[in-house]
């Protein structure tokens, strides 16, 4: 029935969240599966990009696991709803794209978060190679910033944003995925 898959930073743990079914994990390449504790059916899970024991999900707040995905607990109540993305090479660095709530950032594994810019909606967020002279990956999002729907990029960890499409190049619906090239800015 479809669903989503998250793979730990070291590739040893796989979490499978089938649509409308319990969430499972394996640590032996699928030879056996165990139910994840603390998440409702169909919850989308993402892996920390550095720490192989950390996973995150949105479950009436930001839920996290520090035991390789076996158990999840809600760490931040009333967190904005959104698709969580983790930043390559940065432990505990999360971005949430909330369709109707804007764009949010957490650097403490989701315990706290702050709204980024004046986005009133953000459909998706992704990352690419850092701009020349920068150490933080380029950030890409599709959303509404200052009343203008577009595709945006930030080269300074979300401090400023530039629209990278225009009204003549809207490219239709992007969907729930966006990313930059990890090797070429």
């Amino acid at each position: 029935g479809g669903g989503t898959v998250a793979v730990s930073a070291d590739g040893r743990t796989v979490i499978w969240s089938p649509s409308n079914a319990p969430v499972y994990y394996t640590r032996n390449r699928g030879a056996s599966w165990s139910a994840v504790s603390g998440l409702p059916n169909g919850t989308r899970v993402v892996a920390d990009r550095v720490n192989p024991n950390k996973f995150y999900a949105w479950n009436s707040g930001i839920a996290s696991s520090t035991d390789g995905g076996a158990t999840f607990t809600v760490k931040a109540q009333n967190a904005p709803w959104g698709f969580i993305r983790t930043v390559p090479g940065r432990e505990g660095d999360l971005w949430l794209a909330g369709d109707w709530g804007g764009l949010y950032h957490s650097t403490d594994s989701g315990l706290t978060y702050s709204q980024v810019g004046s986005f009133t909606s953000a459909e998706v967020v992704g990352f690419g190679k850092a701009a020349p002279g920068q150490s933080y990956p380029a950030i890409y999002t599709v959303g509404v910033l200052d009343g203008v729907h577009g595709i945006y990029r930030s080269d300074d960890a979300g401090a400023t944003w530039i629209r990278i499409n225009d009204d003549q190049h809207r490219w239709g619906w992007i969907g729930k995925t966006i990313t930059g090239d990890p090797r070429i800015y």
Side-chain angles (χ1 to χ4, degrees):
T4 60
V5 172
V7 179
S8 64
D10 63 3
R12 292 185 177 147
T13 301
V14 176
I15 296 180
W16 175 38
S17 180
S19 300
N20 300 314
V23 182
Y24 294 94
Y25 71 96
T26 182
R27 292 198 178 103
N28 57 14
R29 299 180 187 238
S32 62
W33 293 85
S34 300
V36 167
S37 174
L39 293 178
N41 291 358
T43 301
R44 183 184 185 122
V45 177
V46 297
D48 190 275
R49 301 281 191 98
V50 175
N51 186 333
N53 292 315
K54 284 187 177 181
F55 289 86
Y56 310 97
W58 192 94
N59 173 20
S60 30
I62 300 172
S64 65
S65 172
T66 57
D67 62 3
T71 59
F72 280 79
T73 55
V74 175
K75 297 294 183 182
Q77 295 288 346
N78 301 317
W81 181 91
F83 287 98
I84 298 172
R85 299 286 190 254
T86 54
V87 181
R90 296 181 177 267
E91 182 175 350
D93 199 333
L94 314 174
W95 287 77
L96 287 83
D99 278 341
W100 57 85
L103 187 63
Y104 296 85
H105 185 211
S106 172
T107 57
D108 58 8
S109 299
L111 293 175
T112 61
Y113 48 88
S114 57
Q115 190 162 8
V116 176
S118 55
F119 283 95
T120 53
S121 77
E123 299 166 28
V124 64
V125 63
F127 310 98
K129 182 176 171 112
Q134 298 292 324
S135 61
Y136 199 87
I139 307 165
Y140 298 88
T141 191
V142 178
V144 178
L145 177 64
D146 297 326
V148 179
H149 184 272
I151 301 172
Y152 293 91
R153 183 189 72 228
S154 175
D155 294 330
D156 54 11
T160 60
W161 296 86
I162 183 170
R163 185 176 177 198
I164 59 174
N165 71 338
D166 58 40
D167 290 339
Q168 289 74 41
H169 301 92
R170 300 281 299 168
W171 299 307
W173 184 62
I174 299 292
K176 293 295 182 190
T177 304
I178 191 169
T179 192
D181 190 304
R183 295 166 297 173
I184 301 169
Y185 172 74

